[in-house]
Amino acid sequence: MSKTASHRVPAADIVLGAMFLLITGLYGLLMFNDRVPLLGLILLGLLWLGYALLQGRVTRATPMDLPILGLLALLPISLVITVDQGLTLPNLYSLLLAIPLYYVIVNAIRKPRRLPLAVFAVVGLALATTLLGLVGTDWKSGAFSFLAPFYQRLPNLLALLPGEPAGGGINANTLGGALAFFIPFLLSLAWDGGGFKRMFLGEKMHPNGLNLLYKLTLLIALLIVSATLLLTQSRAAYIGAAVGVLLLAVWKDRRFLWILPVLLIGGVLAWRLLA
């Protein structure tokens, strides 16, 4: 590696870290205001351009590149056919932030020893987002009456702030869109086939105990995030999380393909019941 290239790697890592912090901040603004400032998206694009110039490529190739391009191509169609842009735009903004976050993670862990740091950073982000949602969402009763007692016990601390951001709290659909990204991710970490233990814990003392602690942490985080997603009663977020989990399951084992017809029928029935 040349002397110039040796200096580019740390600079690129700083840019990736700045993008991670910026995306986190924009997610927070999205939860408050149901929109992302145009200036924030422009700054994110400029940072990505800087990273591409430093690395000589836009990103590392991944198996998800083509599906992500397909999702981006469908965004204009979603805006055209939607009956309520007020509900659709927050989900689109959430997708526009989730995609660069995915690529930030992919490019940040190009060296195996960085994987644990990336894992704990995203798990921490998932729990922080969930905690903020639990104490700051404008919870409203919906189709699931059995959730009403939970709503009554959850405080809306953000509504106590001057100005009542986002109309008195975070929109439940916005929170659902943010959480839907984390569920397949956390599940994929827990369902690693022992890869984390073999790669990072094999030479440590008590690797079985450390691996158990790692998996318990992931499962607790997954349970908390999933329960909060259920509270949002966001059908779009439910579908997004379910599709992500299904794709993960099929990727792990093609035998899960037989679930597709069952899920399709069940999804249609559930949609009609909730409509």
Side-chain angles (χ1 to χ4, degrees):
M1 181 180 293
S2 68
K3 184 179 295 185
T4 302
S6 66
H7 288 294
R8 285 182 177 177
V9 173
D13 290 339
I14 293 174
V15 174
L16 286 175
M19 283 192 286
F20 180 81
L21 294 175
L22 177 59
I23 293 171
T24 302
L26 292 177
Y27 257 125
L29 289 175
L30 174 63
M31 294 175 69
F32 282 109
N33 302 311
D34 290 348
R35 65 180 60 190
V36 174
L38 179 60
L39 180 60
L41 294 177
I42 293 175
L43 180 57
L44 184 59
L46 290 175
L47 286 172
W48 200 272
L49 177 61
Y51 174 81
L53 292 174
L54 288 169
Q55 289 294 96
R57 63 186 179 193
V58 176
T59 180
R60 298 177 66 188
T62 77
M64 295 299 296
D65 292 344
L66 286 179
I68 287 174
L69 286 175
L71 284 175
L72 290 175
L74 291 174
L75 291 185
I77 300 176
S78 300
L79 286 174
V80 171
I81 65 175
T82 183
V83 295
D84 190 340
Q85 288 197 357
L87 293 177
T88 302
L89 281 175
N91 291 323
L92 295 184
Y93 280 130
S94 181
L95 182 62
L96 288 175
L97 293 178
I99 290 173
L101 178 60
Y102 166 75
Y103 283 109
V104 165
I105 296 170
V106 166
N107 288 277
I109 60 175
R110 60 188 181 275
K111 295 182 180 179
R113 66 175 181 270
R114 297 180 179 178
L115 181 59
L117 180 61
V119 167
F120 292 126
V122 178
V123 171
L125 178 60
L127 291 175
T129 303
T130 303
L131 178 61
L132 180 61
L134 285 173
V135 301
T137 299
D138 183 19
W139 299 110
K140 297 177 181 178
S141 299
F144 302 150
S145 58
F146 68 91
L147 294 176
F150 295 97
Y151 296 139
Q152 296 171 3
R153 291 174 172 79
L154 289 172
N156 184 355
L157 299 183
L158 296 184
L160 303 178
L161 297 177
E164 295 190 6
I170 299 169
N171 185 285
N173 287 299
T174 302
L175 177 63
L179 296 180
F181 160 77
F182 292 112
I183 289 178
F185 178 80
L186 292 172
L187 180 60
S188 69
L189 294 176
W191 191 3
D192 65 348
F196 189 87
K197 177 183 176 182
R198 291 191 299 271
M199 183 173 290
F200 299 105
L201 302 178
E203 298 180 357
K204 295 183 179 295
M205 293 182 61
H206 309 296
N208 291 330
L210 290 174
N211 188 60
L212 178 61
L213 179 61
Y214 168 72
K215 291 297 179 67
L216 284 176
T217 301
L218 290 175
L219 292 176
I220 291 172
L222 179 61
L223 178 62
I224 294 173
V225 173
S226 300
T228 307
L229 177 64
L230 176 64
L231 289 173
T232 66
Q233 299 194 49
S234 172
R235 287 174 288 183
Y238 290 170
I239 293 173
V243 170
V245 170
L246 179 60
L247 289 175
L248 173 65
V250 172
W251 182 33
K252 292 286 186 179
D253 191 334
R254 295 297 176 87
R255 287 176 294 183
F256 282 99
L257 284 170
W258 69 268
I259 301 179
L260 283 174
V262 178
L263 289 179
L264 180 61
I265 297 173
V268 172
L269 293 176
W271 188 275
R272 291 182 64 87
L273 291 174
L274 296 175

